[in-house]
PDB file of all heavy atoms in Angstrom:
ATOM      1  N   GLU A 215     -62.964  78.483 -64.497  1.00 97.00           N
ATOM      2  CA  GLU A 215     -63.093  76.973 -64.510  1.00 97.00           C
ATOM      3  C   GLU A 215     -62.445  76.364 -63.306  1.00 97.00           C
ATOM      4  O   GLU A 215     -63.040  75.463 -62.653  1.00 97.00           O
ATOM      5  CB  GLU A 215     -62.429  76.494 -65.814  1.00 97.00           C
ATOM      6  CG  GLU A 215     -62.664  74.940 -65.830  1.00 97.00           C
ATOM      7  CD  GLU A 215     -62.003  74.344 -67.185  1.00 97.00           C
ATOM      8  OE1 GLU A 215     -61.532  75.176 -68.030  1.00 97.00           O
ATOM      9  OE2 GLU A 215     -62.083  73.198 -67.387  1.00 97.00           O
ATOM     10  N   CYS A 216     -61.299  76.843 -62.916  1.00 97.00           N
ATOM     11  CA  CYS A 216     -60.621  76.235 -61.857  1.00 97.00           C
ATOM     12  C   CYS A 216     -61.381  76.584 -60.420  1.00 97.00           C
ATOM     13  O   CYS A 216     -61.404  75.732 -59.514  1.00 97.00           O
ATOM     14  CB  CYS A 216     -59.130  76.755 -61.678  1.00 97.00           C
ATOM     15  SG  CYS A 216     -58.106  76.073 -63.054  1.00 97.00           S
ATOM     16  N   ILE A 217     -61.876  77.865 -60.410  1.00 97.00           N
ATOM     17  CA  ILE A 217     -62.598  78.273 -59.339  1.00 97.00           C
ATOM     18  C   ILE A 217     -63.797  77.392 -59.142  1.00 97.00           C
ATOM     19  O   ILE A 217     -64.134  76.898 -58.038  1.00 97.00           O
ATOM     20  CB  ILE A 217     -62.997  79.810 -59.270  1.00 97.00           C
ATOM     21  CG1 ILE A 217     -61.802  80.701 -59.166  1.00 97.00           C
ATOM     22  CG2 ILE A 217     -64.141  80.053 -58.278  1.00 97.00           C
ATOM     23  CD1 ILE A 217     -62.080  82.031 -59.461  1.00 97.00           C
ATOM     24  N   ALA A 218     -64.603  77.206 -60.184  1.00 96.00           N
ATOM     25  CA  ALA A 218     -65.755  76.338 -60.064  1.00 96.00           C
ATOM     26  C   ALA A 218     -65.475  74.885 -59.767  1.00 96.00           C
ATOM     27  O   ALA A 218     -66.175  74.288 -58.990  1.00 96.00           O
ATOM     28  CB  ALA A 218     -66.405  76.402 -61.450  1.00 96.00           C
ATOM     29  N   ALA A 219     -64.334  74.346 -60.309  1.00 96.00           N
ATOM     30  CA  ALA A 219     -63.833  72.984 -60.070  1.00 96.00           C
ATOM     31  C   ALA A 219     -63.668  72.733 -58.575  1.00 96.00           C
ATOM     32  O   ALA A 219     -63.840  71.812 -57.929  1.00 96.00           O
ATOM     33  CB  ALA A 219     -62.751  72.658 -60.886  1.00 96.00           C
ATOM     34  N   SER A 220     -63.127  73.865 -57.879  1.00 95.00           N
ATOM     35  CA  SER A 220     -62.731  73.700 -56.376  1.00 95.00           C
ATOM     36  C   SER A 220     -64.044  73.617 -55.584  1.00 95.00           C
ATOM     37  O   SER A 220     -64.066  72.945 -54.561  1.00 95.00           O
ATOM     38  CB  SER A 220     -61.878  74.851 -56.085  1.00 95.00           C
ATOM     39  OG  SER A 220     -62.658  76.101 -55.796  1.00 95.00           O
ATOM     40  N   GLY A 221     -65.036  74.155 -56.078  1.00 94.00           N
ATOM     41  CA  GLY A 221     -66.174  74.250 -55.196  1.00 94.00           C
ATOM     42  C   GLY A 221     -66.032  75.126 -53.888  1.00 94.00           C
ATOM     43  O   GLY A 221     -66.951  74.972 -53.048  1.00 94.00           O
ATOM     44  N   GLU A 222     -65.033  75.845 -53.759  1.00 92.00           N
ATOM     45  CA  GLU A 222     -64.837  76.654 -52.478  1.00 92.00           C
ATOM     46  C   GLU A 222     -65.410  78.058 -52.681  1.00 92.00           C
ATOM     47  O   GLU A 222     -65.281  78.698 -53.727  1.00 92.00           O
ATOM     48  CB  GLU A 222     -63.316  76.681 -52.357  1.00 92.00           C
ATOM     49  CG  GLU A 222     -62.622  75.550 -52.029  1.00 92.00           C
ATOM     50  CD  GLU A 222     -63.053  74.792 -50.682  1.00 92.00           C
ATOM     51  OE1 GLU A 222     -63.317  75.643 -49.702  1.00 92.00           O
ATOM     52  OE2 GLU A 222     -62.903  73.668 -50.517  1.00 92.00           O
ATOM     53  N   GLU A 223     -66.073  78.505 -51.603  1.00 90.00           N
ATOM     54  CA  GLU A 223     -66.539  79.824 -51.549  1.00 90.00           C
ATOM     55  C   GLU A 223     -65.576  80.850 -51.271  1.00 90.00           C
ATOM     56  O   GLU A 223     -65.578  82.013 -51.825  1.00 90.00           O
ATOM     57  CB  GLU A 223     -67.812  79.908 -50.560  1.00 90.00           C
ATOM     58  CG  GLU A 223     -69.079  79.235 -50.987  1.00 90.00           C
ATOM     59  CD  GLU A 223     -70.220  79.508 -50.159  1.00 90.00           C
ATOM     60  OE1 GLU A 223     -70.082  80.309 -49.260  1.00 90.00           O
ATOM     61  OE2 GLU A 223     -71.309  79.087 -50.409  1.00 90.00           O
ATOM     62  N   ASN A 224     -64.578  80.549 -50.382  1.00 93.00           N
ATOM     63  CA  ASN A 224     -63.514  81.384 -50.072  1.00 93.00           C
ATOM     64  C   ASN A 224     -62.286  80.770 -50.237  1.00 93.00           C
ATOM     65  O   ASN A 224     -62.024  79.633 -49.737  1.00 93.00           O
ATOM     66  CB  ASN A 224     -63.611  81.780 -48.554  1.00 93.00           C
ATOM     67  CG  ASN A 224     -64.993  82.504 -48.235  1.00 93.00           C
ATOM     68  OD1 ASN A 224     -65.090  83.663 -48.576  1.00 93.00           O
ATOM     69  ND2 ASN A 224     -65.859  82.001 -47.502  1.00 93.00           N
ATOM     70  N   ALA A 225     -61.383  81.297 -51.100  1.00 96.00           N
ATOM     71  CA  ALA A 225     -60.159  80.680 -51.597  1.00 96.00           C
ATOM     72  C   ALA A 225     -59.161  81.666 -52.040  1.00 96.00           C
ATOM     73  O   ALA A 225     -59.576  82.757 -52.406  1.00 96.00           O
ATOM     74  CB  ALA A 225     -60.492  79.606 -52.735  1.00 96.00           C
ATOM     75  N   LEU A 226     -57.924  81.253 -52.138  1.00 97.00           N
ATOM     76  CA  LEU A 226     -56.843  81.944 -52.785  1.00 97.00           C
ATOM     77  C   LEU A 226     -56.726  81.509 -54.180  1.00 97.00           C
ATOM     78  O   LEU A 226     -56.484  80.282 -54.340  1.00 97.00           O
ATOM     79  CB  LEU A 226     -55.586  81.884 -52.071  1.00 97.00           C
ATOM     80  CG  LEU A 226     -54.357  82.802 -52.520  1.00 97.00           C
ATOM     81  CD1 LEU A 226     -54.814  84.236 -52.294  1.00 97.00           C
ATOM     82  CD2 LEU A 226     -53.234  82.482 -51.769  1.00 97.00           C
ATOM     83  N   LEU A 227     -56.718  82.344 -55.188  1.00 98.00           N
ATOM     84  CA  LEU A 227     -56.535  81.935 -56.523  1.00 98.00           C
ATOM     85  C   LEU A 227     -55.233  82.339 -56.951  1.00 98.00           C
ATOM     86  O   LEU A 227     -54.834  83.615 -56.953  1.00 98.00           O
ATOM     87  CB  LEU A 227     -57.651  82.740 -57.371  1.00 98.00           C
ATOM     88  CG  LEU A 227     -57.372  82.555 -58.979  1.00 98.00           C
ATOM     89  CD1 LEU A 227     -57.510  81.126 -59.381  1.00 98.00           C
ATOM     90  CD2 LEU A 227     -58.320  83.405 -59.653  1.00 98.00           C
ATOM     91  N   TYR A 228     -54.364  81.381 -57.418  1.00 98.00           N
ATOM     92  CA  TYR A 228     -52.930  81.723 -57.797  1.00 98.00           C
ATOM     93  C   TYR A 228     -52.821  81.321 -59.169  1.00 98.00           C
ATOM     94  O   TYR A 228     -53.194  80.182 -59.591  1.00 98.00           O
ATOM     95  CB  TYR A 228     -52.057  81.085 -56.815  1.00 98.00           C
ATOM     96  CG  TYR A 228     -50.475  81.035 -57.195  1.00 98.00           C
ATOM     97  CD1 TYR A 228     -49.716  82.030 -56.597  1.00 98.00           C
ATOM     98  CD2 TYR A 228     -49.994  80.195 -58.084  1.00 98.00           C
ATOM     99  CE1 TYR A 228     -48.255  81.974 -56.844  1.00 98.00           C
ATOM    100  CE2 TYR A 228     -48.660  80.278 -58.492  1.00 98.00           C
ATOM    101  CZ  TYR A 228     -47.867  81.075 -57.716  1.00 98.00           C
ATOM    102  OH  TYR A 228     -46.517  81.133 -58.200  1.00 98.00           O
ATOM    103  N   TRP A 229     -51.967  82.143 -59.924  1.00 98.00           N
ATOM    104  CA  TRP A 229     -51.602  81.556 -61.277  1.00 98.00           C
ATOM    105  C   TRP A 229     -50.124  82.130 -61.688  1.00 98.00           C
ATOM    106  O   TRP A 229     -49.807  83.191 -61.137  1.00 98.00           O
ATOM    107  CB  TRP A 229     -52.645  82.016 -62.361  1.00 98.00           C
ATOM    108  CG  TRP A 229     -52.902  83.385 -62.608  1.00 98.00           C
ATOM    109  CD1 TRP A 229     -52.369  84.097 -63.653  1.00 98.00           C
ATOM    110  CD2 TRP A 229     -53.632  84.388 -61.966  1.00 98.00           C
ATOM    111  NE1 TRP A 229     -52.758  85.454 -63.703  1.00 98.00           N
ATOM    112  CE2 TRP A 229     -53.602  85.623 -62.613  1.00 98.00           C
ATOM    113  CE3 TRP A 229     -54.454  84.314 -60.749  1.00 98.00           C
ATOM    114  CZ2 TRP A 229     -54.225  86.803 -62.346  1.00 98.00           C
ATOM    115  CZ3 TRP A 229     -55.151  85.431 -60.441  1.00 98.00           C
ATOM    116  CH2 TRP A 229     -54.996  86.684 -61.112  1.00 98.00           C
ATOM    117  N   GLN A 230     -49.486  81.211 -62.398  1.00 98.00           N
ATOM    118  CA  GLN A 230     -48.204  81.723 -62.855  1.00 98.00           C
ATOM    119  C   GLN A 230     -47.900  81.319 -64.319  1.00 98.00           C
ATOM    120  O   GLN A 230     -48.486  80.459 -64.776  1.00 98.00           O
ATOM    121  CB  GLN A 230     -47.083  81.123 -61.919  1.00 98.00           C
ATOM    122  CG  GLN A 230     -46.828  79.706 -62.068  1.00 98.00           C
ATOM    123  CD  GLN A 230     -45.729  79.185 -61.225  1.00 98.00           C
ATOM    124  OE1 GLN A 230     -45.554  79.502 -60.061  1.00 98.00           O
ATOM    125  NE2 GLN A 230     -44.919  78.320 -61.879  1.00 98.00           N
ATOM    126  N   CYS A 231     -46.936  81.993 -64.843  1.00 98.00           N
ATOM    127  CA  CYS A 231     -46.586  81.708 -66.140  1.00 98.00           C
ATOM    128  C   CYS A 231     -45.058  81.737 -66.121  1.00 98.00           C
ATOM    129  O   CYS A 231     -44.336  82.686 -65.814  1.00 98.00           O
ATOM    130  CB  CYS A 231     -47.026  82.824 -67.109  1.00 98.00           C
ATOM    131  SG  CYS A 231     -46.601  82.426 -68.917  1.00 98.00           S
ATOM    132  N   SER A 232     -44.520  80.581 -66.786  1.00 98.00           N
ATOM    133  CA  SER A 232     -43.020  80.471 -66.962  1.00 98.00           C
ATOM    134  C   SER A 232     -42.783  80.593 -68.566  1.00 98.00           C
ATOM    135  O   SER A 232     -43.643  80.597 -69.273  1.00 98.00           O
ATOM    136  CB  SER A 232     -42.438  79.118 -66.321  1.00 98.00           C
ATOM    137  OG  SER A 232     -42.788  78.100 -67.274  1.00 98.00           O
ATOM    138  N   ARG A 233     -41.485  80.882 -68.722  1.00 98.00           N
ATOM    139  CA  ARG A 233     -41.107  81.002 -70.173  1.00 98.00           C
ATOM    140  C   ARG A 233     -41.267  79.700 -71.041  1.00 98.00           C
ATOM    141  O   ARG A 233     -41.216  79.891 -72.228  1.00 98.00           O
ATOM    142  CB  ARG A 233     -39.648  81.597 -70.169  1.00 98.00           C
ATOM    143  CG  ARG A 233     -39.256  82.119 -71.568  1.00 98.00           C
ATOM    144  CD  ARG A 233     -37.878  82.787 -71.537  1.00 98.00           C
ATOM    145  NE  ARG A 233     -37.661  83.719 -70.409  1.00 98.00           N
ATOM    146  CZ  ARG A 233     -37.985  84.981 -70.512  1.00 98.00           C
ATOM    147  NH1 ARG A 233     -38.563  85.547 -71.594  1.00 98.00           N
ATOM    148  NH2 ARG A 233     -37.788  85.781 -69.488  1.00 98.00           N
ATOM    149  N   GLY A 234     -41.408  78.575 -70.409  1.00 98.00           N
ATOM    150  CA  GLY A 234     -41.607  77.284 -71.063  1.00 98.00           C
ATOM    151  C   GLY A 234     -40.722  76.270 -70.642  1.00 98.00           C
ATOM    152  O   GLY A 234     -40.157  76.304 -69.631  1.00 98.00           O
ATOM    153  N   THR A 235     -40.773  75.208 -71.279  1.00 98.00           N
ATOM    154  CA  THR A 235     -40.068  73.934 -71.050  1.00 98.00           C
ATOM    155  C   THR A 235     -38.932  73.680 -72.101  1.00 98.00           C
ATOM    156  O   THR A 235     -39.266  73.551 -73.282  1.00 98.00           O
ATOM    157  CB  THR A 235     -40.981  72.799 -71.021  1.00 98.00           C
ATOM    158  OG1 THR A 235     -41.996  72.881 -70.148  1.00 98.00           O
ATOM    159  CG2 THR A 235     -40.265  71.454 -70.576  1.00 98.00           C
ATOM    160  N   ALA A 236     -37.645  73.716 -71.543  1.00 98.00           N
ATOM    161  CA  ALA A 236     -36.609  73.634 -72.354  1.00 98.00           C
ATOM    162  C   ALA A 236     -35.350  73.112 -71.677  1.00 98.00           C
ATOM    163  O   ALA A 236     -35.300  73.342 -70.448  1.00 98.00           O
ATOM    164  CB  ALA A 236     -36.260  74.995 -73.121  1.00 98.00           C
ATOM    165  N   LEU A 237     -34.266  72.628 -72.316  1.00 97.00           N
ATOM    166  CA  LEU A 237     -32.989  72.316 -71.653  1.00 97.00           C
ATOM    167  C   LEU A 237     -32.394  73.524 -70.924  1.00 97.00           C
ATOM    168  O   LEU A 237     -32.635  74.723 -71.514  1.00 97.00           O
ATOM    169  CB  LEU A 237     -31.962  71.827 -72.707  1.00 97.00           C
ATOM    170  CG  LEU A 237     -32.244  70.441 -73.133  1.00 97.00           C
ATOM    171  CD1 LEU A 237     -31.255  70.039 -74.274  1.00 97.00           C
ATOM    172  CD2 LEU A 237     -32.197  69.267 -71.955  1.00 97.00           C
ATOM    173  N   ARG A 238     -31.783  73.386 -69.717  1.00 97.00           N
ATOM    174  CA  ARG A 238     -31.322  74.558 -69.004  1.00 97.00           C
ATOM    175  C   ARG A 238     -30.193  75.223 -69.814  1.00 97.00           C
ATOM    176  O   ARG A 238     -29.040  74.825 -70.012  1.00 97.00           O
ATOM    177  CB  ARG A 238     -30.823  74.041 -67.691  1.00 97.00           C
ATOM    178  CG  ARG A 238     -30.471  75.145 -66.737  1.00 97.00           C
ATOM    179  CD  ARG A 238     -29.845  74.677 -65.355  1.00 97.00           C
ATOM    180  NE  ARG A 238     -29.586  75.771 -64.495  1.00 97.00           N
ATOM    181  CZ  ARG A 238     -28.542  76.475 -64.527  1.00 97.00           C
ATOM    182  NH1 ARG A 238     -27.561  76.330 -65.507  1.00 97.00           N
ATOM    183  NH2 ARG A 238     -28.340  77.431 -63.769  1.00 97.00           N
ATOM    184  N   ARG A 239     -30.485  76.492 -70.041  1.00 96.00           N
ATOM    185  CA  ARG A 239     -29.391  77.589 -70.472  1.00 96.00           C
ATOM    186  C   ARG A 239     -29.916  78.846 -70.076  1.00 96.00           C
ATOM    187  O   ARG A 239     -31.160  79.149 -70.126  1.00 96.00           O
ATOM    188  CB  ARG A 239     -29.011  77.329 -71.930  1.00 96.00           C
ATOM    189  CG  ARG A 239     -30.116  77.637 -72.890  1.00 96.00           C
ATOM    190  CD  ARG A 239     -29.682  77.696 -74.338  1.00 96.00           C
ATOM    191  NE  ARG A 239     -30.788  78.185 -75.233  1.00 96.00           N
ATOM    192  CZ  ARG A 239     -30.547  78.422 -76.542  1.00 96.00           C
ATOM    193  NH1 ARG A 239     -29.411  78.411 -77.038  1.00 96.00           N
ATOM    194  NH2 ARG A 239     -31.569  78.859 -77.246  1.00 96.00           N
ATOM    195  N   HIS A 240     -28.999  79.769 -69.975  1.00 97.00           N
ATOM    196  CA  HIS A 240     -29.396  81.160 -69.541  1.00 97.00           C
ATOM    197  C   HIS A 240     -30.208  81.815 -70.672  1.00 97.00           C
ATOM    198  O   HIS A 240     -31.062  82.711 -70.407  1.00 97.00           O
ATOM    199  CB  HIS A 240     -28.187  81.928 -69.160  1.00 97.00           C
ATOM    200  CG  HIS A 240     -27.742  81.576 -67.701  1.00 97.00           C
ATOM    201  ND1 HIS A 240     -27.122  80.280 -67.485  1.00 97.00           N
ATOM    202  CD2 HIS A 240     -27.807  82.144 -66.464  1.00 97.00           C
ATOM    203  CE1 HIS A 240     -26.817  80.334 -66.184  1.00 97.00           C
ATOM    204  NE2 HIS A 240     -27.325  81.257 -65.580  1.00 97.00           N
ATOM    205  N   ASN A 241     -29.834  81.743 -71.868  1.00 97.00           N
ATOM    206  CA  ASN A 241     -30.449  82.285 -73.055  1.00 97.00           C
ATOM    207  C   ASN A 241     -32.065  81.996 -73.027  1.00 97.00           C
ATOM    208  O   ASN A 241     -32.326  80.820 -72.563  1.00 97.00           O
ATOM    209  CB  ASN A 241     -29.843  81.986 -74.278  1.00 97.00           C
ATOM    210  CG  ASN A 241     -28.332  82.315 -74.409  1.00 97.00           C
ATOM    211  OD1 ASN A 241     -27.731  82.372 -73.500  1.00 97.00           O
ATOM    212  ND2 ASN A 241     -27.877  82.752 -75.717  1.00 97.00           N
ATOM    213  N   PHE A 242     -32.699  82.703 -73.674  1.00 98.00           N
ATOM    214  CA  PHE A 242     -34.193  82.429 -73.836  1.00 98.00           C
ATOM    215  C   PHE A 242     -34.263  81.129 -74.806  1.00 98.00           C
ATOM    216  O   PHE A 242     -33.272  81.011 -75.715  1.00 98.00           O
ATOM    217  CB  PHE A 242     -35.004  83.400 -74.624  1.00 98.00           C
ATOM    218  CG  PHE A 242     -35.205  84.751 -73.788  1.00 98.00           C
ATOM    219  CD1 PHE A 242     -35.759  85.864 -74.291  1.00 98.00           C
ATOM    220  CD2 PHE A 242     -34.811  84.712 -72.451  1.00 98.00           C
ATOM    221  CE1 PHE A 242     -36.029  86.956 -73.568  1.00 98.00           C
ATOM    222  CE2 PHE A 242     -34.974  85.907 -71.639  1.00 98.00           C
ATOM    223  CZ  PHE A 242     -35.651  87.042 -72.255  1.00 98.00           C
ATOM    224  N   PRO A 243     -35.168  80.271 -74.577  1.00 97.00           N
ATOM    225  CA  PRO A 243     -35.298  79.013 -75.504  1.00 97.00           C
ATOM    226  C   PRO A 243     -35.765  79.476 -76.905  1.00 97.00           C
ATOM    227  O   PRO A 243     -36.206  80.654 -77.112  1.00 97.00           O
ATOM    228  CB  PRO A 243     -36.360  78.196 -74.759  1.00 97.00           C
ATOM    229  CG  PRO A 243     -37.169  79.229 -73.883  1.00 97.00           C
ATOM    230  CD  PRO A 243     -36.228  80.237 -73.583  1.00 97.00           C
ATOM    231  N   ASP A 244     -35.766  78.543 -77.731  1.00 95.00           N
ATOM    232  CA  ASP A 244     -36.213  78.812 -79.187  1.00 95.00           C
ATOM    233  C   ASP A 244     -37.575  79.347 -79.176  1.00 95.00           C
ATOM    234  O   ASP A 244     -38.413  79.035 -78.283  1.00 95.00           O
ATOM    235  CB  ASP A 244     -36.124  77.489 -79.996  1.00 95.00           C
ATOM    236  CG  ASP A 244     -36.481  77.722 -81.404  1.00 95.00           C
ATOM    237  OD1 ASP A 244     -35.533  77.862 -82.209  1.00 95.00           O
ATOM    238  OD2 ASP A 244     -37.744  77.564 -81.703  1.00 95.00           O
ATOM    239  N   ALA A 245     -37.884  80.180 -80.154  1.00 92.00           N
ATOM    240  CA  ALA A 245     -39.265  80.848 -80.330  1.00 92.00           C
ATOM    241  C   ALA A 245     -40.381  79.850 -80.343  1.00 92.00           C
ATOM    242  O   ALA A 245     -41.538  80.233 -79.997  1.00 92.00           O
ATOM    243  CB  ALA A 245     -39.276  81.818 -81.483  1.00 92.00           C
ATOM    244  N   SER A 246     -40.098  78.618 -80.718  1.00 96.00           N
ATOM    245  CA  SER A 246     -41.165  77.690 -80.776  1.00 96.00           C
ATOM    246  C   SER A 246     -41.624  77.075 -79.371  1.00 96.00           C
ATOM    247  O   SER A 246     -42.750  76.408 -79.248  1.00 96.00           O
ATOM    248  CB  SER A 246     -40.685  76.270 -81.508  1.00 96.00           C
ATOM    249  OG  SER A 246     -39.579  75.776 -80.997  1.00 96.00           O
ATOM    250  N   VAL A 247     -40.811  77.279 -78.409  1.00 97.00           N
ATOM    251  CA  VAL A 247     -41.139  77.075 -77.052  1.00 97.00           C
ATOM    252  C   VAL A 247     -42.232  77.971 -76.476  1.00 97.00           C
ATOM    253  O   VAL A 247     -42.057  79.231 -76.453  1.00 97.00           O
ATOM    254  CB  VAL A 247     -39.902  77.020 -76.026  1.00 97.00           C
ATOM    255  CG1 VAL A 247     -40.273  76.773 -74.580  1.00 97.00           C
ATOM    256  CG2 VAL A 247     -38.880  75.822 -76.657  1.00 97.00           C
ATOM    257  N   ARG A 248     -43.349  77.446 -76.011  1.00 97.00           N
ATOM    258  CA  ARG A 248     -44.435  78.203 -75.570  1.00 97.00           C
ATOM    259  C   ARG A 248     -44.310  78.398 -74.010  1.00 97.00           C
ATOM    260  O   ARG A 248     -43.986  77.398 -73.341  1.00 97.00           O
ATOM    261  CB  ARG A 248     -45.779  77.585 -76.013  1.00 97.00           C
ATOM    262  CG  ARG A 248     -45.895  77.586 -77.526  1.00 97.00           C
ATOM    263  CD  ARG A 248     -45.784  78.957 -78.177  1.00 97.00           C
ATOM    264  NE  ARG A 248     -46.807  79.849 -77.716  1.00 97.00           N
ATOM    265  CZ  ARG A 248     -46.674  81.084 -77.568  1.00 97.00           C
ATOM    266  NH1 ARG A 248     -45.654  81.755 -78.091  1.00 97.00           N
ATOM    267  NH2 ARG A 248     -47.642  82.007 -77.088  1.00 97.00           N
ATOM    268  N   PRO A 249     -44.928  79.411 -73.588  1.00 98.00           N
ATOM    269  CA  PRO A 249     -45.007  79.635 -72.035  1.00 98.00           C
ATOM    270  C   PRO A 249     -45.955  78.587 -71.326  1.00 98.00           C
ATOM    271  O   PRO A 249     -46.805  78.023 -72.086  1.00 98.00           O
ATOM    272  CB  PRO A 249     -45.687  81.002 -71.831  1.00 98.00           C
ATOM    273  CG  PRO A 249     -45.351  81.713 -73.203  1.00 98.00           C
ATOM    274  CD  PRO A 249     -45.473  80.634 -74.189  1.00 98.00           C
ATOM    275  N   ASN A 250     -45.701  78.348 -70.231  1.00 98.00           N
ATOM    276  CA  ASN A 250     -46.403  77.328 -69.344  1.00 98.00           C
ATOM    277  C   ASN A 250     -47.330  78.079 -68.352  1.00 98.00           C
ATOM    278  O   ASN A 250     -46.898  78.926 -67.703  1.00 98.00           O
ATOM    279  CB  ASN A 250     -45.542  76.301 -68.565  1.00 98.00           C
ATOM    280  CG  ASN A 250     -44.750  75.476 -69.538  1.00 98.00           C
ATOM    281  OD1 ASN A 250     -45.284  75.077 -70.537  1.00 98.00           O
ATOM    282  ND2 ASN A 250     -43.488  75.198 -69.137  1.00 98.00           N
ATOM    283  N   LEU A 251     -48.550  77.652 -68.286  1.00 98.00           N
ATOM    284  CA  LEU A 251     -49.475  78.148 -67.292  1.00 98.00           C
ATOM    285  C   LEU A 251     -49.796  77.241 -66.195  1.00 98.00           C
ATOM    286  O   LEU A 251     -50.188  76.095 -66.482  1.00 98.00           O
ATOM    287  CB  LEU A 251     -50.728  78.659 -68.040  1.00 98.00           C
ATOM    288  CG  LEU A 251     -51.891  79.268 -67.212  1.00 98.00           C
ATOM    289  CD1 LEU A 251     -51.494  80.449 -66.540  1.00 98.00           C
ATOM    290  CD2 LEU A 251     -53.190  79.436 -68.038  1.00 98.00           C
ATOM    291  N   THR A 252     -49.718  77.706 -64.928  1.00 98.00           N
ATOM    292  CA  THR A 252     -50.059  76.820 -63.818  1.00 98.00           C
ATOM    293  C   THR A 252     -51.141  77.747 -62.935  1.00 98.00           C
ATOM    294  O   THR A 252     -50.990  78.988 -62.850  1.00 98.00           O
ATOM    295  CB  THR A 252     -48.752  76.695 -62.943  1.00 98.00           C
ATOM    296  OG1 THR A 252     -47.815  76.053 -63.608  1.00 98.00           O
ATOM    297  CG2 THR A 252     -49.124  75.897 -61.785  1.00 98.00           C
TER     298      THR A 252
END
């Protein structure tokens, strides 16, 4: 969907996933926090 939206024939496709959005602490956040996709 992102490729199509760009309309570019030649491009770099990049995607990343983080552990989620939560207050800063070294431990993993609560299990209810879902990963973020960029």
Side-chain angles (χ1 to χ4, degrees):
E215 180 182 357
C216 292
I217 291 170
S220 75
E222 295 291 333
E223 290 192 358
N224 297 290
L226 184 69
L227 171 64
Y228 171 100
W229 67 98
Q230 73 175 43
C231 179
S232 74
R233 199 176 302 277
T235 303
L237 289 173
R238 185 184 185 279
R239 65 170 186 168
H240 286 72
N241 300 31
F242 292 175
D244 184 88
S246 64
V247 174
R248 299 301 304 154
N250 294 323
L251 176 64
T252 302

